[in-house]
Amino acid sequence: MSSSFVYASVRTPFGRFNGALADTRADDLAATALKGLLDRSPGLDPGLVDDVFWGNANGAGEDNRNVGRMAVLLAGMPVSVTATTVNRLCGSSLDAAMMAARMIEAGDAEIAIAGGVESMTRAPWVLPKPSRRFPAGDVTAVSTTLGWRLVNERMPAEWTASLGECNEQLREKFSISRERQDEFGARSHRLAAEAWAKGFYDDLVVPVPGADLVQDESIRAGTSLEALAKLKPAFRPDGTITAGNCSPLNDGASAVLLGSASAAATIGRDPVARIAGRGWAALVPQQFGYAPVEAAGDALERAGITWDDIGAVELNEAFAVQSIACVDAWLKLGLRDAELVNAKGGAIAIGHPLGASGGRILGTLAARLVESGERWGVAAICIGVGQGLAVVLENVA
């Protein structure tokens, strides 16, 4: 087996729900990220890309009918370039990158692109097909923006609780206070704002044509603990999870260029990181937020290293409570400092457009390793319905 490498990554700015990207279709967001990635490597003939793997969680609206292939065509790539769309909910684009890496390592491809997209603003309402013609009663339209829909009646009720309720249960399990969650949320906004101000994201983000947005729209640079403490619980009257300590609804896309070692000459640039290990895990659905712990452990084992070796972590912050639970577990397993996690901010501030987040954290991790000179890093993400994914990167820049 040969190795696979990350050569480049980009993403769009992440827009707020009903925000600056609300008028942009999901397939156009995907094409923007894909074209932006190719523009980063002008020496690469797009026709030499062997395959495109594209993540998307909803897929019920303008992102239907294989949005990966739509992105290839809309980005102006040759019609001969193939593409597939991957749905592992929040982990879709990280899963896409893992699939692309496996294809390269197996020798079936030299160059592949992975990415993902979500327009949560434009996710449509859907209707189930009737069991017979012309039913007399009313029919309810169901939003496809987030969470369970059209649930099978045989599914146990505890498995189909809302994402917020699941994390309130996780908070009870690990005794994580509202104060810790608010501190984590405030940190995310502070670090994301600082990273943008210092130019870290300038080369990682491409603008969306026709949209007046140059930075992530959900970041609130002045967020304080006092302001967060005033927010009301969102899921339980006596709960601790608020709009300030969990990720918002967002629109955006991300893309990552992967290749073999020998692909450097064709791409016209050197790789920045090696895909050193991959991990995946599943728990009972209501504990999905904790699944990155086991997934990351498996990825580290496959890479042949331990938490003691890790110099950077990108964990998708779906909720502060699940992020804290994961970080606490990793510290017990040997992670040397909690400040290594999301040092450039996370999804609570930057946003979480479901299908795009895995590509974002992978690209950010590679850039952090280059900036810091650290050798090893982990990108990990929790996934609704009880799953988690993780990738270990080795800095080769």
Side-chain angles (χ1 to χ4, degrees):
M1 297 286 286
S2 61
S3 293
S4 59
F5 297 85
V6 172
Y7 278 82
S9 63
V10 300
R11 64 178 177 88
T12 68
F14 286 176
R16 284 193 302 231
F17 187 82
N18 273 326
L21 301 181
D23 292 332
T24 306
R25 291 171 55 109
D27 48 8
D28 284 326
L29 287 173
T32 296
L34 187 51
K35 187 176 185 305
L37 183 71
L38 293 169
D39 288 346
R40 292 291 196 275
S41 301
L44 171 62
D45 177 357
L48 297 179
V49 174
D50 292 299
D51 209 351
V52 174
F53 297 81
W54 208 259
N56 181 239
N58 284 332
E62 295 156 346
D63 44 2
N64 75 93
R65 306 300 294 171
N66 191 357
V67 70
R69 174 63 172 170
M70 300 302 106
V72 164
L73 298 175
L74 290 168
M77 296 182 72
V79 296
S80 58
V81 176
T82 55
T84 190
T85 297
V86 179
N87 186 351
R88 204 192 286 248
L89 301 182
C90 303
S92 295
S93 53
L94 193 61
D95 204 11
M98 293 164 71
M99 292 178 179
R102 291 188 191 104
M103 189 180 197
I104 292 164
E105 291 165 17
D108 290 337
E110 286 292 312
I111 301 169
I113 291 175
V117 66
E118 212 73 59
S119 176
M120 300 179 81
T121 297
R122 298 173 72 88
W125 296 277
V126 298
L127 295 173
K129 287 186 175 181
S131 58
R132 65 180 186 274
R133 291 183 297 168
F134 310 119
D138 296 333
V139 179
T140 301
V142 179
S143 172
T144 64
T145 300
L146 182 70
W148 289 89
R149 66 206 61 144
L150 306 177
V151 181
N152 191 312
E153 63 182 13
R154 296 190 297 107
M155 194 72 71
E158 64 269 22
W159 289 359
T160 63
S162 72
L163 301 178
E165 170 58 26
C166 290
N167 275 273
E168 288 285 9
Q169 293 176 25
L170 204 64
R171 181 263 304 176
E172 292 174 330
K173 178 180 175 66
F174 291 103
S175 300
I176 297 171
S177 68
R178 164 77 182 266
E179 290 72 23
R180 285 192 73 189
Q181 294 175 59
D182 286 348
E183 288 171 358
F184 192 92
R187 172 185 182 269
S188 184
H189 285 281
R190 174 175 55 82
L191 293 177
E194 289 177 358
W196 270 107
K198 293 178 180 178
F200 175 82
Y201 286 114
D202 289 353
D203 290 336
L204 290 176
V205 176
V206 293
V208 176
D212 184 18
L213 186 65
V214 295
Q215 295 188 3
D216 302 308
E217 196 174 10
S218 296
I219 297 172
R220 299 185 297 276
T223 297
S224 66
L225 288 175
E226 293 74 20
L228 292 178
K230 295 177 182 178
L231 297 177
K232 295 180 179 180
F235 302 100
R236 291 184 183 178
D238 60 345
T240 63
I241 298 174
T242 72
N245 58 36
C246 66
S247 60
L249 305 178
N250 296 95
D251 310 326
S254 63
V256 182
L257 178 63
L258 299 105
S260 65
S262 60
T266 304
I267 294 172
R269 62 189 305 162
D270 292 327
V272 295
R274 180 176 70 91
I275 305 289
R278 293 176 289 266
W280 51 97
L283 307 173
V284 292
Q286 62 268 36
Q287 292 182 16
F288 74 93
Y290 196 69
V293 174
E294 187 172 336
D298 289 349
L300 289 168
E301 183 176 352
R302 291 187 175 97
I305 60 173
T306 68
W307 277 110
D308 294 335
D309 300 302
I310 296 300
V313 179
E314 284 294 314
L315 170 65
N316 192 59
E317 300 168 353
F319 293 82
V321 63
Q322 59 84 205
S323 300
I324 293 168
C326 290
V327 174
D328 286 352
W330 291 335
L331 289 169
K332 292 176 182 178
L333 291 169
L335 178 67
R336 62 178 184 264
D337 190 347
E339 292 303 309
L340 295 175
V341 180
N342 298 354
K344 306 299 181 180
I348 290 175
I350 292 168
H352 179 22
L354 308 178
S357 290
R360 178 191 71 80
I361 62 172
L362 190 65
T364 301
L365 178 64
R368 283 184 58 196
L369 291 174
V370 172
E371 180 189 64
S372 68
E374 292 280 355
R375 181 177 179 183
W376 301 101
V378 173
I381 195 164
C382 68
I383 302 165
V385 203
Q387 298 190 86
L389 291 177
V391 171
V392 172
L393 291 184
E394 180 186 16
N395 182 5
V396 297

